[in-house]
Amino acid sequence: MSEQGKGSASASAAAPAPGSDTYKGWLFKWTNYLKGYQRRWFVLSNGLLSYYRTQAEMAHTCRGTINLATAHIDTEDACNIVLSSGGRTYHLKASTEVERQRWVTALELAKAKAIRMMNDQSDDSGDEEPTSQSDRSEIQGTLKILVSKLDDLSTCNDLIAKHGAALQRSLSELEGLKVPVEGGEKIKAVNERATLFRITSNAMINACRDFLDLAETHSRRWQRALQYEREQRTHLEETIEQLAKQHNSLERAWREAPTLVSSTPSAPTTNKGSERPRKEEASDEDEDTEYFDAMEDSPAFITVTASENTQHRRSQSNLSGASGGQPSDWNQDDHMSPSCNDVSGKELQPRRQRRTHIPDKPNYSLNLWSIMKNCIGKELSKIPMPVNFNEPLSMLQRLSEDLEYHELLDKAARCESSLEQMCLVAAFSVSSYSTTVHRTAKPFNPLLGETYELDRLEEFGYRSLCEQVSHHPPAAAHHVISQRGWTLWQEITIASKFRGKYLSIMPLGAIHLHFHASGNHYVWRKVTSTVHNIIVGKLWIDQSGDIEIVNHRTKETCQLKFSPYSYFSRDVPRKVTGVVADSGGQAHYILSGTWDEKMESAKIVQSSRGGSGSEGKQKTVYQTLSPKLLWKKYPLPENAENMYYFSALALTLNEPEEGVGLTDSRLRPDQRLMEDGRWDEANSEKQRLEEKQRAVRRRREAEASDALDEGREYEGYQPLWFHQRRDSVTGETNFVYKGGYWESKDRQDWSMCPDIF
């Protein structure tokens, strides 16, 4: 960056003091490895940080926005700022350390204010229409009061005029009497003052009448404007509903139309995907749209199957950066080592016969919009929902569903190559989304202290335990240990927002995976899930964003990109692409597939700089071996469409088991009633449980207040099986398993469990 650029950034820095409603200024934003940091105009307003290429763009084109209410603010060095929210990360740089500190202060204040506003909105459930009606009634009432007061003033004016006239007559009579000269002058002065008083009172009443006329005129104008806005809002709602219906009809027509010829590995395709710099988790500038400037100079890579030279090409999004054009020194005949080459099927059949079906879902009709229209912009966990929108599983059980393809980790534990192991770990991270493609129902929010165990020690060698460790914000801790050489743990906080037509679900928190034999420690985070067509049309789910998997022992990385679904894209729906690279950034494997079907890996044997594309961009050409299957989704059970589209594992998650903890999700009565099809009773039971939880929370708050008054320390709620510790790898503080659960299960001693059901 030139000194001139730095100087201009500093000179044009934000003038308002941090803490004001709006804060503006120039910052340098990381775009990609070719362009590096680029100067951008940032605007901080109403808890949102937006940026533009120039100040003139503020009138028409926003390049990206991040919500500070759910954002994490960090500082790397003297001048850098890192903002992350969900799957999106901005790397920013100020021209000076002082300027950086001003921005950090402004961002922190804006974040605190945004959180307060979000909490205030979550408690506000008023309807807009009654409010507008009350406004009209208030205006009319005010006008009536003004008219009444004007009548009072008119009456007073008449009295003043009457008494003033009498006073003047009396004074005139006094003037006619023979009085000393001084007395006559005083009477004359009093008469003049009485005349002035009458004139002033008349002017006052005329001014009041003019004020009332003006208020009536403006009131009619306000009422017309209000009526116009109300009609516009109604028209907009009708238009959105019509668009949603047309959207749904187009989707059905497209699905029913004959299948068009699509791009295959043997047909050359083009891709405007962008290069993903490894430095950031996600950036709005790298999406396939003209709004984001990193797109302009971002190359795509081409993979070429080595056995067929250049006849068969596939264009993918480059997520890892170029490998420098150096040929790989890997043996071309060794794509996957024999120890982890088998990727077909489950290894062992369960020894215990588990259930294969649950009662069919009842066909209850419910007007979704009538319930959801007052919830726009609110935190999903704070919206009271009937069980009609749920599925008979808790969020803890949904979290345990990540283990459906645990055999991928069993295979990975046997891999001698850490890069091959990374491919399987990446496939495992993608497989956790395969069950969500048809699962549009909401899982039950766990009660504080609720647990869920998934004991598959005899069948598959692992044991899993989840516990709800926080209620607001909702957070769950998860720990899995396997006898086949791996341990997985995570703490997930769900941030969600309902935006009218779609619902965004943003899991926050890192997932850790440790392999016992090699000591490899992998860390990654989940992408954002979006539920579309909330108002009208068929609900559907999409996953979008980026996952960076890091092996903290070897510093090897895998960059995965979940492409958002688009009607206008020729790409395969639900596409996932990725690159596995070593610690030096050299790419070794190309990953491709879809998050709802399968993932494949292709080993890179050579890489080079290819020719320029149609837009003059230089592409990196990766020569690879034939792709190998890493993971393929199991077919859904028969009649799954009437059983909430549960997978084979999901059907067993709520199956009653003997000996589980007293706080286990299987024992939750409202969830059990819903599974049995008794939804009315389930709704009543759900309300009882939630009220019981609120009563416990109020009692804890009262105890905390008493302790504060008495000068004692109050520990507050502490989870039973997890405790907070600082992670030595990421430096984050999260809940980890402290032990004791499985020992208590062996003894069947649950005396320490709270009564939450």
Side-chain angles (χ1 to χ4, degrees), residues 540-565:
W540 60 280
I541 290 181
D542 195 20
Q543 315 289 345
S544 60
D546 299 272
I547 293 179
E548 181 183 40
I549 306 175
V550 180
N551 183 343
H552 284 272
R553 188 184 72 84
T554 64
K555 306 305 178 185
E556 296 161 351
T557 61
C558 174
Q559 302 283 346
L560 290 172
K561 180 177 180 62
F562 287 66
S563 301
Y565 178 72

Side-chain angles (χ1 to χ4, degrees), residues 356-358 360 635-643 646-648 651:
T356 58
H357 67 276
I358 59 175
D360 286 358
L636 289 175
E638 185 180 354
N639 195 39
E641 65 276 7
N642 295 319
M643 298 187 295
F646 280 177
S647 64
L651 288 174

Side-chain angles (χ1 to χ4, degrees), residues 355-425:
R355 68 181 185 180
T356 58
H357 67 276
I358 59 175
D360 286 358
K361 177 182 178 181
N363 186 19
Y364 283 106
S365 61
L366 189 66
N367 188 346
L368 176 63
W369 176 241
S370 66
I371 296 176
M372 299 295 284
K373 66 180 181 180
N374 296 324
C375 304
I376 296 177
K378 297 182 180 179
E379 186 70 26
L380 182 65
S381 61
K382 297 183 179 181
I383 299 174
M385 290 282 191
V387 299
N388 305 56
F389 299 115
N390 286 59
E391 62 180 18
L393 290 178
S394 74
M395 182 59 73
L396 303 182
Q397 291 165 314
R398 284 290 293 267
L399 201 58
S400 302
E401 275 192 80
D402 288 357
L403 301 172
E404 177 143 15
Y405 298 94
H406 61 88
E407 65 271 11
L408 290 171
L409 300 184
D410 297 341
K411 294 179 179 68
R414 300 195 300 270
C415 281
E416 298 176 359
S417 166
S418 57
L419 290 168
E420 295 174 3
Q421 189 178 75
M422 174 71 83
C423 292
L424 289 166
V425 172

Side-chain angles (χ1 to χ4, degrees), residues 289-310:
T289 168
E290 61 181 357
Y291 282 77
F292 304 111
D293 48 276
M295 168 69 196
E296 294 178 2
D297 295 297
S298 181
F301 67 71
I302 300 175
T303 62
V304 182
T305 305
S307 60
E308 298 172 280
N309 201 3
T310 58

Side-chain angles (χ1 to χ4, degrees), residues 310-473:
T310 58
Q311 296 299 318
H312 303 283
R313 297 188 174 190
R314 288 187 299 173
S315 179
Q316 306 281 0
S317 297
N318 185 356
L319 306 180
S320 70
S323 62
Q326 299 297 324
S328 172
D329 57 358
W330 277 54
N331 184 350
Q332 297 186 19
D333 297 329
D334 180 23
H335 183 194
M336 278 287 185
S337 62
S339 62
C340 55
N341 193 36
D342 179 17
V343 293
S344 60
K346 296 187 177 181
E347 296 179 359
L348 293 175
Q349 292 300 320
R351 297 179 184 177
R352 171 181 168 180
Q353 185 67 30
R354 299 188 181 274
R355 68 181 185 180
T356 58
H357 67 276
I358 59 175
D360 286 358
K361 177 182 178 181
N363 186 19
Y364 283 106
S365 61
L366 189 66
N367 188 346
L368 176 63
W369 176 241
S370 66
I371 296 176
M372 299 295 284
K373 66 180 181 180
N374 296 324
C375 304
I376 296 177
K378 297 182 180 179
E379 186 70 26
L380 182 65
S381 61
K382 297 183 179 181
I383 299 174
M385 290 282 191
V387 299
N388 305 56
F389 299 115
N390 286 59
E391 62 180 18
L393 290 178
S394 74
M395 182 59 73
L396 303 182
Q397 291 165 314
R398 284 290 293 267
L399 201 58
S400 302
E401 275 192 80
D402 288 357
L403 301 172
E404 177 143 15
Y405 298 94
H406 61 88
E407 65 271 11
L408 290 171
L409 300 184
D410 297 341
K411 294 179 179 68
R414 300 195 300 270
C415 281
E416 298 176 359
S417 166
S418 57
L419 290 168
E420 295 174 3
Q421 189 178 75
M422 174 71 83
C423 292
L424 289 166
V425 172
F428 174 78
S429 69
V430 174
S431 70
S432 63
Y433 298 99
S434 64
T435 62
T436 66
V437 64
H438 299 296
R439 302 273 289 278
T440 55
K442 174 181 175 290
F444 279 78
N445 288 331
L447 302 173
L448 186 61
E450 186 174 333
T451 61
Y452 180 74
E453 69 161 72
L454 186 62
D455 191 349
R456 297 293 190 266
L457 190 63
E458 293 183 357
E459 294 126 308
F460 303 118
Y462 70 84
R463 277 177 160 178
S464 166
L465 176 66
C466 296
E467 181 178 5
Q468 187 77 358
V469 295
S470 172
H471 189 59
H472 282 305

Side-chain angles (χ1 to χ4, degrees), residues 706-720:
D706 294 341
L708 182 63
D709 294 340
E710 298 172 7
R712 296 183 289 105
E713 288 190 6
Y714 183 73
E715 188 178 27
Y717 176 79
Q718 295 297 323
L720 195 56

